[in-house]
Amino acid sequence: MEKVPAAEGVELLPVKLDESQITPSHYDPHKYRDVPNPTSTLGTFVHVMKSALGIGILSVPYAFKNGGLVFGVLGAFFFAMLCSHSAHILVRTSYKICRKERIPVLGFGETVEKACANGSPAVRVLGTVLRNIIDWYLMLTTVVVFIVFVGTTLREVVNFRTGWDWSERTYILLVGVPVLLITQIREIKYLVPFSAVAGVLVLANIVISLVFIFQEPLTLENRRMLPTAATVAPYMGIVYFALDATCLIFPLENQMRHPQHYLGCPGIVNLNYICLAVLYSFFGAVGYIRYGDDVESSIILNFPTENVLASCIQVLSAVAVLFSIGLVFYVPTEIAWKKLHAKVPKAWTGLAQSGLRVAMLALNIAAACGIPHLGTFMGLLGAVLNPILALWIPIVVDTVYRWPHDFGRLRWRLAKNGALACFGLFLLVTGTISSVQNIIELYK
């Protein structure tokens, strides 16, 4: 019998094969996702690992100089747990909303908006505001800093080894050629090999660094175990922001073939952050033990510049960042495309997507060539917005969606969220002060 379409504005319940309705309590959003090229569980693990394992790990020994050995190790595990907790809050709340409203998938901003839609009118307005902030922040997340890093690093190595005197802008334009090809990859699934190579290169950097570190016996003499009041904030800033990858939580989970493997026990997120906590703790501790208070902001600076291995670390770092650009670039381009695709005829979809990516990359390269010290100002933007994005917004989503009674015995979840909100405020204030001080030092 021919099915009669529903009247406009009427939503039909999903139907099983036996024509029986699926009630919201039995609706499983994972079964209704339509992902043309889903990513495997292993591929997603590689992406998650790479998103939180970057060249920032080379600064972790300097963080341990500020935090001390005992506090440093405990802090690494605490921040790994905190990042994992934020991911669990966001994804689980998104799943509950999808189940309740019979929606297959939601993004970051959509989850925030729909979570707030359950509250009072004032909270609903907040949800819309937060969604717009999230979408625009993620869409404006640039790869400028990455392009500048690759260009300047290659300039230092090549000019030092060859005696050339090529400018920084020349190297940035040269880097733009492979970046142009990498950023045309539109599916996360096909970016897995790039993340895998980048991860291997970062691990190679760590191994080479350990060769320098263990050239002499290590000693704990005059090594700090605990931080002072003045050094706690710098430690937290380095380690937490090195581990955080909030902007990639939803893009990676939403593209999985088996999204139920993302959370849970052990789950991709949990395994990833356990591995990272161990790696960060070990590398940070031995790096600080080796160089003590002389350890530099990046441990590479402690290695002899004339040594070929030191140049190898720099080149491997540059190539690792180069191979990471595709994954970082995926988020802003997908959000921008969602806002534009309805206005583009289907026949022009492929060309329009390619044009959008080329245009966004051209803006990034132009900014990299034209704005000096842009990385410092981007650091200030990250110091202000990252605690909001990575801590406050997950707390808001969880609190609003559970309000007023779903907080457990003695409302322990509400107390926990309040404590995390205060901690996020501490990170916001200290990170902003540190970034402003860096800008003042830069222009002295």
Side-chain angles (χ1 to χ4, degrees), residues 62 79 305 318:
Y62 179 77
F79 283 118
T305 55

Side-chain angles (χ1 to χ4, degrees), residues 148-172 175 314-315 318:
V148 170
F149 174 84
V150 176
T152 53
T153 302
L154 292 178
R155 176 181 177 273
E156 290 175 8
V157 176
V158 176
N159 284 6
F160 176 75
R161 292 292 171 183
T162 63
W164 297 349
D165 192 25
W166 290 8
S167 69
E168 181 179 300
R169 289 183 176 87
T170 302
Y171 284 94
I172 288 174
V175 168
Q314 290 180 288
V315 173

Side-chain angles (χ1 to χ4, degrees), residues 159-240:
N159 284 6
F160 176 75
R161 292 292 171 183
T162 63
W164 297 349
D165 192 25
W166 290 8
S167 69
E168 181 179 300
R169 289 183 176 87
T170 302
Y171 284 94
I172 288 174
L173 292 174
L174 290 174
V175 168
V177 176
V179 172
L180 176 64
L181 301 176
I182 294 172
T183 52
Q184 285 298 319
I185 300 174
R186 302 173 192 168
E187 302 288 346
I188 281 185
K189 174 182 180 180
Y190 301 127
L191 288 170
V192 171
F194 292 88
S195 290
V197 171
V200 169
L201 294 178
V202 173
L203 292 175
N205 272 351
I206 295 172
V207 171
I208 296 174
S209 298
L210 292 176
V211 170
F212 285 104
I213 290 171
F214 286 106
Q215 280 181 345
E216 297 180 10
L218 303 184
T219 175
L220 293 176
E221 187 179 356
N222 297 325
R223 299 300 182 256
R224 181 181 296 160
M225 296 294 155
L226 297 172
T228 65
T231 60
V232 170
Y235 166 82
M236 290 182 174
I238 294 172
V239 175
Y240 180 56

Side-chain angles (χ1 to χ4, degrees), residues 42 65 72 95 98 111 179 184 191-192 228 234 281 286 348-349 365 410 416 435:
L42 178 60
K65 169 188 170 181
Y95 180 81
C98 287
T111 297
V179 172
Q184 285 298 319
L191 288 170
V192 171
T228 65
S281 297
V286 296
W348 294 85
T349 297
I365 293 177
L410 300 178
K416 178 262 298 178
S435 297

Side-chain angles (χ1 to χ4, degrees), residues 259-273:
Q260 61 272 20
H261 296 168
Y262 195 67
L263 303 182
C265 185
I268 289 175
V269 172
N270 290 339
L271 283 176
N272 170 73
Y273 280 110

Side-chain angles (χ1 to χ4, degrees), residues 265-430:
C265 185
I268 289 175
V269 172
N270 290 339
L271 283 176
N272 170 73
Y273 280 110
I274 289 172
C275 293
L276 289 176
V278 172
L279 185 59
Y280 275 56
S281 297
F282 172 73
F283 187 72
V286 296
Y288 171 56
I289 292 172
R290 170 68 175 84
Y291 294 104
D293 289 340
D294 294 328
V295 67
E296 298 286 351
S297 57
S298 175
I299 199 169
I300 299 176
L301 300 175
N302 287 103
F303 305 151
T305 55
E306 67 278 3
N307 193 302
V308 175
L309 285 179
S311 296
C312 286
I313 293 178
Q314 290 180 288
V315 173
L316 291 177
S317 298
V319 177
V321 171
L322 177 66
F323 275 48
S324 304
I325 286 177
L327 184 60
V328 177
F329 198 70
Y330 175 87
V331 177
T333 51
E334 280 301 295
I335 294 176
W337 177 245
K338 284 182 180 179
K339 294 181 179 295
L340 295 175
H341 80 279
K343 302 176 183 178
V344 178
K346 288 187 177 180
W348 294 85
T349 297
L351 186 61
Q353 280 190 291
S354 297
L356 173 66
R357 288 171 174 268
V358 170
M360 293 180 69
L361 178 61
L363 289 174
N364 279 273
I365 293 177
C369 290
I371 305 176
H373 311 303
L374 181 64
T376 304
F377 292 97
M378 292 298 295
L380 174 60
L381 184 65
V384 174
L385 292 179
N386 276 4
I388 297 174
L389 199 71
L391 261 184
W392 280 359
I393 288 182
I395 290 168
V396 168
V397 167
D398 186 57
T399 303
V400 169
Y401 192 77
R402 292 179 180 275
W403 191 269
H405 302 300
D406 188 22
F407 291 106
R409 181 173 296 182
L410 300 178
R411 299 169 75 85
W412 69 269
R413 287 191 178 91
L414 184 60
K416 178 262 298 178
N417 287 350
L420 290 180
C422 294
F423 184 64
L425 179 62
F426 172 77
L427 290 176
L428 172 65
V429 172
T430 55

